[in-house]
Amino acid sequence: MVEAVYQPMQKGTFVSTAVLFDLDDTLIDLQYARRHGLRAVQEILPELKRVPLEELELVHDEELKANYLRTLGDSLSDEEARLEHMCGICRRYGLETSRAADAADAYVREQQSNPRLVPGVEELFEALRGRMKIGVVTNGRSRYQRDKLEFFDLLPLEAVAISEEVGAVKPDPEIFRYALAELGEQKATMIGDSWEHDVLGATGVGMDAIWLNRYRRPCPDPSLAVEIAGFEPVENILQALKTSSQ
Amino acid sequence: MAVTVHIPGPLQKLTNNQEAVEVEVADAASIEDVINGLENAHPGIKNRLVENGEIRGYINIFVNDEDIKFIKGMGTHVKEGDSVNIVPSIAGGA
């Protein structure tokens, strides 16, 4: 784990000249929004109040993962996916799945009422702009991901690689090569929260990687990536960017 | 008359970090008038909500919990004391 050692950033001190970010749960704090949604589910399904929120999150994550690839394509809409996830939660805790629709409504209302960037992202972008090329490599539907970039005021970027547009899903090397070509760079440092998609995907094409590990999961292989717990203080990530390329 | 507009977090930097702002509009004003009033007080916010004269596709606006898409869109009328909520439709983490 990189210590939060303060080292003033000066132009030209980076070894990397470009940085690529994952979008969901790296720049945009979807987990924060999901937690709000799941608390609302506990209100609608009071039997779940005895379930610790962390446990409910894990169960919900399993449901998300089970449908992940289907939601990237056209076979499952977000609304259908939400209902399936709530049905899965109901089944897990022995509740009638007929109650899942109300839970899904409550979930989405609270989830969408709590949009935010991961803490530190705005300051980090401010520090990086003009000093490094910045891009995004993200799995998802084009319209949804571009809407998010716009709403959260993350544009302009030097590269935007979205799986639906590129025709390759992380960790497929093709999507990283596409992003590098957009950047006009041979190499870049990839920052993301997914070990499989971001770290393994990026290092697989020879890029450096920084693993955003906000929830203190065990690191599968410290030799592959620099690990950070968050973007605050911003000097922490700037230090990591230098370290990642040494 | 005044209506209260609730601002989502990522847009609050345009409203001096206020979560809710009072907007003064004429009687029988519409959501379009409210947005214009919001823009007068907080320049730049209209562009984040509206594109080519229409509410952006990922922005939902509710008047007292009713989605204006199902009323009259930008032409939806507001009245004294109404609560206007701006909620982005952010996909992901379904």
Side-chain angles (χ1 to χ4, degrees):
Chain A
M1 188 78 69
V2 171
E3 298 296 325
V5 178
Y6 178 70
Q7 286 194 282
M9 184 182 66
Q10 292 176 3
K11 197 170 181 178
T13 57
F14 287 118
V15 178
S16 297
T17 56
V19 60
L20 293 166
F21 290 92
D22 165 54
L23 185 59
D24 293 339
D25 280 319
T26 296
L27 296 178
I28 298 173
D29 201 348
L30 293 183
Q31 180 128 4
Y32 173 82
R34 282 197 298 269
R35 282 183 177 174
H36 279 271
L38 290 173
R39 284 194 194 102
V41 169
Q42 288 178 314
E43 293 300 319
I44 291 289
L45 304 174
E47 297 91 331
L48 296 183
K49 285 186 177 177
R50 63 182 164 76
V51 179
L53 189 61
E54 292 74 18
E55 179 185 321
L56 200 54
E57 272 188 295
L58 286 175
V59 172
H60 187 242
D61 277 351
E62 287 173 21
E63 294 293 329
L64 288 173
K65 283 175 186 157
N67 286 317
Y68 180 66
L69 289 177
R70 291 172 70 203
T71 56
L72 288 184
D74 288 330
S75 64
L76 197 66
S77 70
D78 274 9
E79 292 73 21
E80 291 166 335
R82 253 189 309 272
L83 186 58
E84 282 204 18
H85 302 157
M86 291 305 147
C87 284
I89 287 175
C90 285
R91 280 192 292 271
R92 179 74 68 100
Y93 293 104
L95 305 177
E96 292 290 332
T97 54
S98 59
R99 300 167 69 189
D102 285 345
D105 286 346
Y107 173 84
V108 71
R109 197 177 311 121
E110 278 306 305
Q111 182 219 22
Q112 297 199 335
S113 294
N114 289 281
R116 77 169 193 182
L117 290 170
V118 169
V121 165
E122 282 177 286
E123 295 80 3
L124 179 60
F125 267 49
E126 200 171 305
L128 292 176
R129 283 198 196 281
R131 292 182 167 89
M132 298 181 77
K133 292 180 181 175
I134 306 174
V136 160
V137 184
T138 175
N139 287 344
R141 295 183 191 175
S142 172
R143 183 169 65 84
Y144 292 165
Q145 302 308 81
R146 288 193 178 273
D147 283 351
K148 281 184 268 193
L149 291 172
E150 196 170 89
F151 176 72
F152 286 98
D153 205 19
L154 294 171
L155 298 172
L157 294 165
E158 278 80 19
V160 176
I162 301 173
S163 62
E164 186 181 58
E165 296 175 8
V166 178
V169 176
K170 289 186 293 184
D172 188 324
E174 190 53 37
I175 194 167
F176 295 97
R177 292 194 188 106
Y178 178 96
L180 288 172
E182 278 223 327
L183 289 172
E185 296 286 335
Q186 298 291 317
K187 277 188 77 173
T189 300
M190 177 73 201
I191 303 178
D193 72 306
S194 168
W195 185 266
E196 182 192 353
H197 294 162
D198 301 317
V199 174
L200 295 184
T203 54
V205 295
M207 289 168 55
D208 301 307
I210 295 175
W211 185 39
L212 176 62
N213 182 16
R214 297 173 68 203
Y215 302 102
R216 308 290 173 146
R217 290 164 290 175
C219 180
D221 183 355
S223 71
L224 271 188
V226 170
E227 184 180 343
I228 57 170
F231 293 135
E232 291 179 317
V234 74
E235 290 76 18
N236 189 359
I237 184 67
L238 299 176
Q239 175 69 22
L241 274 168
K242 284 188 273 188
T243 307
S244 73
S245 294
Q246 288 171 353
Chain B
M1 68 174 187
V3 297
T4 304
V5 183
H6 297 271
I7 310 293
L11 300 187
Q12 287 170 15
K13 60 187 170 188
L14 295 168
T15 59
N16 304 318
N17 297 316
Q18 296 176 88
E19 291 178 23
V21 296
E22 295 281 312
V23 177
E24 284 288 336
V25 287
D27 288 349
S30 65
I31 284 293
E32 186 170 11
D33 298 321
V34 172
I35 291 173
N36 286 334
L38 200 55
E39 173 69 13
N40 286 339
H42 305 286
I45 197 163
K46 182 177 180 179
N47 184 49
R48 304 288 294 277
L49 305 175
V50 176
E51 185 176 34
N52 300 325
E54 298 292 332
I55 302 290
R56 289 180 182 272
Y58 55 85
I59 295 287
N60 299 311
I61 297 183
F62 297 86
V63 176
N64 303 329
D65 292 336
E66 284 201 67
D67 190 337
I68 65 165
K69 281 194 190 95
F70 304 112
I71 313 175
K72 289 183 179 173
M74 289 275 264
T76 301
H77 288 290
V78 291
K79 59 184 187 305
E80 173 75 34
D82 272 353
S83 176
V84 177
N85 269 285
I86 299 168
V87 179
S89 179
I90 297 301

